Amino acid sequence: LAFEAGQAILGGESEEAFKSAIADIGQIRELLEADAAASAAQADQTYTSARTLTLVLIVVALPVAAVVGLLLARSISRGVSRIAQGMLTIAEGDLETQVSIATNDELGDMASSYSDMQGYLKEMAEIATAISRGDVNVAVNPRSERDVLGNASAEMRDYLGEMAGHAGRIADGDLTIRVKSRSEEDALAHAFATMVTNLHSVLTETQGAADQLTKAKDQLSEIAEQASIATQEVATTIGQVAEGS
């Protein structure tokens, strides 16, 4: 259009060409404005549709999220309650309650830790039971230097084994042992030491009594011999008197 208007101007039809050009420009502007209005209307419609869709999604998502959250909260609550109940039974001395939660999250880790603790306490209980039955050779394997219960069980086993060894030597008549107490509260070691001391005293007194009995026997033998001699002398004297009469 602009090219044709230019040709018209060059051809001498300037006024009509100018009016035609203005009219063409007006049409172009109207077309552009109509296109812009259509684009704006479409944009408004798109915005309205998007807003409506967003609101619908929010309205749908909120109940779904609430239901999912409620179910998740209940699941976590049930798992925590089971672990708490298991811990309570352990606190009461019951080591048989099993807690199994097959999830790959913190709750599953808690259940796994509970099972590990339960297994450890069962192991320590079995060791304590064996020691209470007199088994001082039961195997005790502390899990670390910080394993207070395991180390204490090992020390108790070793201590009772040592006391059993002392008792065996005393039973064999060996009173030369020296029982060392581990503390002022070591009642068993003190009792063994007192027993050894008393046995020494009894043995000494018994030996003294045996020596006195031996001396008394010798004295009795000497008295009997002297009595026999005296009897013979009396008999001889009596015989002599009888002959002289």
Side-chain angles (χ1 to χ4, degrees):
L1 293 176
F3 177 75
E4 292 176 355
Q7 284 184 338
I9 293 171
L10 293 176
E13 301 176 355
S14 59
E15 184 176 356
E16 292 181 0
F18 179 75
K19 290 180 180 180
S20 177
I22 293 299
D24 292 338
I25 291 173
Q27 292 177 357
I28 293 172
R29 183 182 66 183
E30 290 176 357
L31 291 175
L32 291 175
E33 289 176 352
D35 187 48
S39 297
Q42 185 177 3
D44 289 340
Q45 184 179 1
T46 302
Y47 169 75
T48 302
S49 300
R51 182 179 62 181
T52 303
L53 180 60
T54 301
L55 292 175
V56 171
L57 290 176
I58 291 175
V59 171
V60 173
L62 284 177
V64 172
V67 172
V68 172
L70 181 60
L71 294 176
L72 183 60
R74 287 184 177 178
S75 176
I76 294 174
S77 178
R78 284 196 299 268
V80 172
S81 297
R82 290 169 61 187
I83 294 174
Q85 184 62 34
M87 297 292 289
L88 180 60
T89 58
I90 287 179
E92 294 174 348
D94 182 3
L95 302 179
E96 300 302 325
T97 301
Q98 301 291 331
V99 176
S100 178
I101 300 177
T103 57
N104 296 322
D105 54 12
E106 289 78 4
L107 197 59
D109 293 339
M110 287 178 61
S112 178
S113 298
Y114 170 87
S115 298
D116 292 341
M117 179 184 66
Q118 184 183 45
Y120 169 74
L121 291 176
K122 279 186 176 181
E123 179 183 347
M124 292 298 104
E126 291 173 357
I127 291 172
T129 300
I131 293 176
S132 69
R133 292 174 179 171
D135 184 2
V136 295
N137 296 315
V138 61
V140 182
N141 300 309
R143 301 193 177 186
S144 69
E145 294 180 355
R146 297 178 296 175
D147 185 356
V148 177
L149 187 56
N151 288 316
S153 298
E155 291 178 3
M156 179 174 63
R157 177 205 58 188
D158 295 341
Y159 170 73
L160 292 176
E162 180 182 349
M163 293 299 107
H166 290 329
R169 291 178 61 185
I170 293 173
D172 292 337
D174 183 4
L175 301 180
T176 62
I177 63 173
R178 294 292 180 265
V179 181
K180 296 181 180 180
S181 62
R182 301 194 177 188
S183 67
E184 294 182 357
E185 294 79 17
D186 190 350
L188 187 57
H190 289 319
F192 267 104
T194 301
M195 181 175 64
V196 171
T197 301
N198 292 339
L199 287 175
H200 269 296
S201 299
V202 170
L203 183 61
T204 300
E205 292 175 359
T206 302
Q207 186 64 42
D211 292 341
Q212 291 179 359
L213 288 174
T214 300
K215 290 180 181 180
K217 183 188 70 173
D218 293 341
Q219 290 175 356
L220 288 174
S221 296
E222 184 178 352
I223 291 172
E225 184 178 355
Q226 291 177 357
S228 176
I229 293 173
T231 301
Q232 291 178 0
E233 290 178 353
V234 170
T236 301
T237 300
I238 292 173
Q240 291 175 353
V241 172
E243 291 176 358
S245 61

